[in-house]
Amino acid sequence: MTPQPATHEVLIVGAGPAGLTLAIDLAQRGVACHVVEATDERGVNPRCNTTSARSMEIFRRLGLAEEIRRAGLPADYPTSIQYRTTLSGEEIFRIDLPSSGDVLAGVGQDGWPTPEPQHRISQLYLEPILERHARRFPGLTLERGTRLVELRQYDDHVDAVVETAGKRRALHCAYVVGCDGAQSAVRRQLGIRYEGVDAIQQFVSTFVRSPELGRLAARDRAWTYWTYGRRIASLIAIDGKSLWLNHVAFAPGHDTENEDPEQLLRESVGASVEHEVLGVVRWTGRRLVAERYRTGRVFLAGDAAHIWIPVGGFGMNAGIQDAATLGWMLAAVRRGWAPPELLDAYEQERKPVGEQFATAVGAQARTSFADVSPDIHRGDAEGERARAEFAERLAISEPHRYSPDGFSFGYHYAGSPLVVGGEDQAVITMGDYQDRARPGFRLPHVWFDDGRSVFDVLGPGFTLLRTDPHAAVTPWTLAARELGIPLTVVDLPGRWPDRYPAELLLVRPDQHVAWMGGSDAAPGELLHTVTGRVPAHQR
């Protein structure tokens, strides 16, 4: 009996940032997909409030970066971080960072390691932009109020049983991706467990509307105010005016049910302010990674694959990275220019990154929530000394949290079977990266004289960058044509030998370097390897 064909090429469960990014990426690559989201409306709480530089680079590739950068805080609002005894108390330390207007104007861009610096934007504003763009694609459909009930896997497709308004139906899909968060129905259907630390901190997060709080903060504007009243808290500007999020941290075993959000806000501000509570969430910061990212034709991405304490928004941004990696792989297989075996590399590439991110984020959280002397609140010389000593500690622990270039540009797939020439690497850290092309790493950015970034000239498939005009590229184009692999050839000026130290660089669709070398390479074998094929001599 002939199996029933898939109704949908890819079913994405979950319409958060990871799911919507994946859907847009697939649609742009010509892969039809259907997104189901269990909720009818988005939650009221802001959740993540930072889009990393790497995520912004991905959004640039998808044509979304400028619109996203114009949303969120006002264009002239600084994205600085302040550390204070309370909002109305003494300053301890600060990290001054530019406004989105400065970034759009290119202020200081010559020294940027990226064409798209990180952007402070709440998910309240990010998700509607992503959803609006997703709904514009003719091959992309999105259904809210529909939850996953069951998955049934077969050799050539997956049946997903979904429920809408009490009515169930089966969707026949070639592949399914669970982007449905920490309580993932997809992950539970697969029987995949999380591994790691189940509780690092407890939190009470209160979302408020308070013009008075906005006026108080306007005396010295910042995106986030860390406060050290009776408890450690972070007060985050959502719209730069009246909307604020107050995160208060507690020990992992603390019962937060009796904590009064109103009192917690007074402690953070150091005074009572008129406000309206829009939402309160009591939650646990964890450090967990799924034991597997895939079973058969079903994959996990975003919080369904990894959750950890929200330091710097790394969870959401790692999910966007998951989507960028899985997107090109699924498209390559569905469009027929790579075999299904290519998909084996998704877990091999992303799971080690998730595990290393989890470890680094957990270590950062322990440092950030270290003991603080109560003397910082004193108004005498002892208070000044205590604040100065604390500032010295913050100067070491905090800058990488808020400019985590290692997480944006230092993560890699050097050990991937799709990368040729990758070497053993040190553990990923928040701050460390080399602005030099290496196999498995994201291609370093440079500006061209005409104002374009090197990312702007990369093709939608693989790109062969040539830094030496004498290096032969015809063997590559012939081999790619024979294999049906989309390949764009781009000549680069040879004035960046330290950044691109090879005659030829083969760049993947997700902007990571697959191989570097010279004209003596064997293009056919290399293209077999980087697309998951078995080279002819190994068959």
Side-chain angles (χ1 to χ4, degrees):
M1 179 177 177
T2 303
Q4 186 172 359
T7 304
H8 302 287
E9 290 193 81
V10 179
L11 172 67
I12 299 170
V13 182
L20 291 170
T21 300
L22 177 60
I24 294 168
D25 200 344
L26 287 170
Q28 288 195 359
R29 298 183 189 279
V31 177
C33 55
H34 184 61
V35 183
V36 295
E37 167 57 47
T39 60
D40 289 306
E41 298 180 355
R42 297 183 191 88
V44 66
N45 275 0
R47 293 171 290 167
C48 179
N49 294 286
T50 294
T51 304
S52 72
R54 184 63 189 130
S55 292
M56 290 300 293
E57 289 177 350
I58 292 167
F59 291 143
R60 183 186 185 100
R61 175 170 58 80
L62 298 177
L64 306 175
E66 183 169 344
E67 182 176 352
I68 290 172
R69 197 171 296 281
R70 293 187 184 279
L73 297 171
D76 66 346
Y77 198 96
T79 59
S80 303
I81 320 297
Q82 292 188 26
Y83 301 78
R84 310 183 69 91
T85 53
T86 64
L87 179 61
S88 56
E90 296 289 332
E91 178 181 312
I92 302 168
F93 181 69
R94 68 191 299 149
I95 301 172
D96 289 320
L97 295 169
S99 67
S100 61
D102 288 338
V103 173
L104 286 166
V107 176
Q109 73 173 18
D110 289 345
W112 297 348
T114 173
E116 295 289 348
Q118 63 188 346
H119 180 50
R120 310 301 187 190
I121 178 173
S122 167
Q123 275 184 248
L124 288 177
Y125 305 125
L126 174 63
E127 286 188 12
I129 294 172
L130 296 178
E131 184 166 335
R132 186 165 59 251
H133 278 270
R135 290 185 181 276
R136 293 174 180 170
F137 289 95
L140 196 168
T141 50
L142 195 156
E143 199 178 353
R144 283 192 169 272
T146 298
R147 70 181 185 93
L148 177 74
V149 176
E150 184 182 357
L151 290 173
R152 304 168 188 155
Q153 289 211 58
Y154 302 91
D155 289 343
D156 61 351
H157 75 283
V158 182
D159 283 345
V161 179
V162 299
E163 182 178 280
T164 308
K167 296 182 179 180
R168 295 188 177 186
R169 69 190 194 278
L171 304 177
H172 302 278
C173 320
Y175 294 97
V176 175
V177 185
C179 301
D180 49 342
Q183 303 301 319
S184 171
V186 174
R187 182 176 57 81
R188 293 174 188 274
Q189 282 286 313
L190 298 177
I192 295 176
R193 299 188 306 271
Y194 282 132
E195 298 175 328
V197 180
D198 199 50
I200 296 177
Q201 294 282 321
Q202 299 292 336
F203 289 88
V204 177
S205 297
T206 308
F207 183 35
V208 302
R209 179 181 289 113
S210 175
E212 183 180 355
L213 183 52
R215 289 190 292 271
L216 178 61
R219 300 173 186 174
D220 191 359
R221 293 186 301 175
W223 166 64
T224 294
Y225 300 90
W226 281 91
T227 64
Y228 300 86
R230 289 185 58 212
R231 302 170 181 87
I232 298 173
S234 56
L235 191 60
I236 300 172
I238 302 302
D239 67 348
K241 299 172 185 176
S242 61
L243 296 180
W244 296 84
L245 183 64
N246 189 44
H247 284 308
V248 183
F250 298 87
H254 186 82
D255 182 359
T256 62
E257 285 303 316
N258 294 322
E259 296 294 343
D260 178 9
E262 308 274 356
Q263 175 62 26
L264 297 177
L265 181 63
R266 284 193 294 273
E267 292 174 3
S268 296
V269 176
S272 294
V273 291
E274 186 175 345
H275 65 278
E276 174 191 0
V277 175
L278 302 177
V280 178
V281 178
R282 304 170 195 273
W283 54 280
T284 303
R286 311 178 190 276
R287 193 186 77 206
L288 301 171
V289 178
E291 59 186 348
R292 300 191 308 280
Y293 279 26
R294 177 193 185 186
T295 297
R297 290 176 167 267
V298 183
F299 301 82
L300 300 177
D303 285 358
H306 43 72
I307 54 175
W308 46 70
I309 195 168
V311 176
F314 297 126
M316 184 194 79
N317 290 291
I320 292 169
Q321 293 173 11
D322 293 340
T325 300
L326 185 57
W328 83 264
M329 292 181 177
L330 283 170
V333 173
R334 292 303 297 169
R335 297 283 70 81
W337 55 268
E341 288 75 16
L342 172 75
L343 297 169
D344 294 340
Y346 170 66
E347 178 177 315
Q348 292 171 294
E349 292 186 354
R350 290 304 303 166
K351 189 169 186 286
V353 172
E355 290 170 339
Q356 292 182 60
F357 275 17
T359 299
V361 168
Q364 177 72 37
R366 287 191 295 273
T367 301
S368 300
F369 298 129
D371 290 339
V372 179
S373 170
D375 289 347
I376 64 170
H377 296 280
R378 294 176 57 162
D380 56 12
E382 282 300 308
E384 291 183 6
R385 180 192 58 77
R387 290 190 292 274
E389 288 181 355
F390 188 31
E392 291 178 0
R393 290 164 51 196
L394 293 170
I396 296 171
S397 68
E398 299 302 283
H400 289 322
R401 178 214 289 251
Y402 290 107
S403 296
D405 290 344
F407 273 18
S408 279
F409 317 129
Y411 76 91
H412 61 84
Y413 310 136
S416 170
L418 307 183
V419 171
V420 179
E423 300 176 348
D424 291 340
Q425 302 292 331
V427 173
I428 300 169
T429 67
M430 284 194 180
D432 296 331
Y433 78 100
Q434 293 184 28
D435 211 8
R436 176 184 177 88
R438 291 178 290 168
F441 287 77
R442 160 242 187 217
L443 181 74
H445 152 74
V446 293
W447 290 113
F448 292 168
D449 291 340
D450 60 7
R452 292 179 299 169
S453 165
V454 67
F455 294 136
D456 300 333
V457 303
L458 301 179
F462 278 82
T463 301
L464 187 67
L465 297 179
R466 178 168 64 172
T467 63
D468 181 348
H470 301 295
V473 297
T474 300
W476 285 89
T477 57
L478 292 175
R481 187 178 308 137
E482 181 179 348
L483 294 169
I485 298 171
L487 178 70
T488 302
V489 177
V490 175
D491 283 319
L492 291 181
R495 64 175 185 266
W496 300 296
D498 291 337
R499 196 156 294 183
Y500 305 132
E503 294 178 6
L504 299 169
L505 298 91
L506 184 63
V507 184
R508 306 184 340 171
D510 61 356
Q511 302 172 335
H512 282 250
V513 177
W515 167 87
M516 297 164 49
S519 297
D520 57 345
E525 287 189 14
L526 287 167
L527 289 172
H528 270 82
T529 300
V530 300
T531 55
R533 294 173 170 87
V534 178
H537 71 276
Q538 295 181 12
R539 293 174 190 162

